[in-house]
Amino acid sequence: MIEIVPIPAFEDNYIWLIRHGASAIVVDPGDAVPAADYLRHHRLSLVAILLTHHHRDHTGGAAELHRLFSAPVYGPRREAIASITHPVGESDVIDFPSLGIAFQVLDVPGHTAGHIAYYGINTLFCGDALFACGCGRLFEGSAQQMHASLAKFSALPDDTKVCCAHEYTLENIHFAKLVEPGNAALLEREHRDRATRSQGRPTLPSSIGLEKLTNPFLRCGEPAVIAAASRFAGHPLVPPVDVFAAIRQWRDQV
Ligand code: ZN
Ligand code: FE
């Protein structure tokens, strides 16, 4: 059985660990210590390290884990990350026979210019591109690029598990309610995720289906979202990219 485990790191990061039998893969180990502790405690052998983008809170532990476990480091071809041994990009497939797992690589620029995501075992590892009820800030890419990246995620099956790299869900829900105060699925989600957080548990993984119902950044064609974004901008906006750009800008101010 394949298990997917969020290992908390720093303030609000998750290092995702995928295990099958005695083999494991880690995604975005910003810190080597909690990942190495988990691997040793459970006597797992590390088969690979996957990186989504160059930010330190995602890459900081990769070199040390590579040194400790001599596992290959996969990461975005279009970003300069010293620890990468296997650069990958759009439509590459990486196969891990010892876990019986293969991942397809998606180019999802926007948060950073070369950001990638990994899709396989009905699960998406999306780094800082997509968050529960939100999306990454546009540090290096355009609204157009990020919107196209999010459209790739929307096209995945509704039951795809979404493993984001940060626990930002409640803050994002707060914003999503400003955009769509009348979204019943969103209010229901808030209720559920508040209860989860009050028990100290992660709100992740989410699912593509739930994001399509509640995440304003995936709902830029919805009349209520178009209307709210247009109110924010002070003039009528054309969906979807201008609507996306406006709510991303709005989010940055909240
Ligand atoms: Zn980042
Ligand atoms: Fe991050």
Side-chain angles (χ1 to χ4, degrees):
M1 201 190 63
I2 292 169
E3 245 186 291
I4 298 172
V5 184
I7 301 173
F10 309 119
E11 284 284 284
D12 51 32
N13 282 71
Y14 292 125
I15 299 167
W16 290 96
L17 182 139
I18 306 144
R19 60 181 285 192
H20 189 198
S23 300
I25 292 171
V26 293
V27 185
D28 282 352
D31 185 355
V33 175
D37 284 351
Y38 189 97
L39 290 161
R40 288 204 188 96
H41 183 78
H42 296 272
R43 300 174 189 281
L44 299 172
S45 71
L46 184 62
V47 169
I49 299 159
L50 309 183
L51 305 178
T52 61
H53 68 294
H54 67 81
H55 289 157
R56 285 292 293 179
D57 63 312
H58 300 252
T59 60
E64 176 71 356
L65 289 173
H66 174 70
R67 195 181 64 75
L68 290 172
F69 298 91
S70 42
V73 182
Y74 294 79
R77 181 180 291 148
R78 295 188 294 140
E79 296 194 348
I81 304 171
S83 57
I84 292 178
T85 60
H86 292 57
V88 291
E90 181 76 20
S91 72
D92 281 343
V93 174
I94 41 185
D95 208 354
F96 301 106
S98 62
L99 288 97
I101 291 177
F103 288 109
Q104 190 189 325
V105 179
L106 308 172
D107 279 347
V108 288
H111 177 67
T112 62
H115 200 301
I116 60 174
Y118 299 88
Y119 172 61
I121 49 168
N122 202 33
T123 307
L124 175 69
F125 296 92
C126 49
D128 287 353
L130 177 66
F131 293 123
C133 246
C135 73
R137 290 172 75 108
L138 301 180
F139 286 123
E140 297 172 10
S142 65
Q144 177 114 41
Q145 279 178 319
M146 186 58 129
H147 181 263
S149 297
L150 298 181
K152 288 185 186 178
F153 298 146
S154 285
L156 298 174
D158 278 355
D159 66 353
T160 305
K161 292 194 198 80
V162 178
C163 297
C164 321
H166 290 272
E167 179 63 62
Y168 288 160
T169 311
L170 294 184
E171 298 93 308
N172 286 340
I173 288 175
H174 169 77
F175 173 73
K177 282 171 64 186
L178 300 178
V179 181
E180 280 191 289
N183 181 338
L186 178 60
L187 301 176
E188 207 178 291
R189 179 177 197 172
E190 180 183 33
H191 185 73
R192 206 169 47 241
D193 285 344
R194 273 190 191 287
T196 303
R197 287 309 289 153
S198 71
Q199 294 160 15
R201 291 188 292 120
T203 58
L204 301 168
S206 172
S207 72
I208 290 294
L210 181 59
E211 294 311 318
K212 281 157 71 176
L213 288 174
T214 57
N215 187 328
F217 297 99
L218 299 186
R219 296 171 58 76
C220 296
E222 290 293 320
V225 177
I226 298 168
S230 298
R231 269 196 307 277
F232 170 78
H235 58 93
L237 293 171
V238 182
V241 175
D242 290 349
V243 171
F244 173 80
I247 56 175
R248 187 55 260 181
Q249 214 187 332
W250 184 1
R251 178 70 180 91
D252 290 342
Q253 297 173 13
V254 170

